[in-house]
Amino acid sequence: ITAAAGNLAAANYDFTTYTGGTLTVNKAILTATADNQSRLYGAANPTFTETVSGYQNGDTSSILTGSATGSSAAGNSTGVGTATITGSNGTLGVNDGNYTFAAPVNGTLTINKAHLTVTADNQSLGYGAGSLPSLTDTITGYVNLENATSAGVTGGPSLSTTATAYNGT
């Protein structure tokens, strides 16, 4: 840094010595953040991705080398809710000496309820029969080798028909 008189003035002083200084330009800090993701209960985790931020002076991800992806301890049997996606700098590097990396930032994996399908079972009724058969259903879509009991399903669906034993087919 060069020091000079500029417009300095003082009635009882003059400015005879100018001592320069040093401006240190520190590296800009890039941050890799694990992107938030979601999936259904019982499904495999999605491919975890990360977003890098902190670029300066119009620089873009083209200055990066390597790659980074997050990870999670959540598995397909992890229950509904949220889990941490652990951020990572992986093998990220920069081909520009003006940057360094901060500690990575974690993201969130949202695990949503798996979808079950309730199907009314086909039934038959003879014309003029005395009463309707019992209406039954089948539930499909369980994951992780679960069934109604192990999945904690309670209650039952509402099954109805407009047919009566006397209105024909």
Side-chain angles (χ1 to χ4, degrees), residues 124-133 164-167:
S124 62
L125 172 67
Y127 178 71
S131 62
L132 292 172
T164 67
Y166 303 106
N167 72 355

Side-chain angles (χ1 to χ4, degrees), residues 126-157:
Y127 178 71
S131 62
L132 292 172
S134 295
L135 301 178
T136 58
D137 66 275
T138 302
I139 299 176
T140 57
Y142 294 104
V143 296
N144 297 329
L145 303 174
E146 293 177 345
N147 57 39
T149 302
S150 63
V153 174
T154 60

Side-chain angles (χ1 to χ4, degrees), residues 21 55 67 69-70 79 82 101 124 167:
Y55 301 107
S67 63
T69 58
T82 59
F101 283 96
S124 62
N167 72 355

Side-chain angles (χ1 to χ4, degrees), residues 47-110:
T47 299
F48 296 124
T49 57
E50 295 193 16
T51 300
V52 177
S53 60
Y55 301 107
Q56 301 296 318
N57 299 323
D59 289 338
T60 64
S61 62
S62 65
I63 66 168
L64 297 178
T65 60
S67 63
T69 58
S71 62
S72 180
N76 64 342
S77 62
T78 301
V80 171
T82 59
T84 299
I85 301 172
T86 303
S88 165
N89 286 340
T91 61
L92 280 175
V94 289
N95 57 16
D96 181 328
N98 294 321
Y99 292 94
T100 189
F101 283 96
V105 176
N106 295 339
T108 300
L109 174 63
T110 301

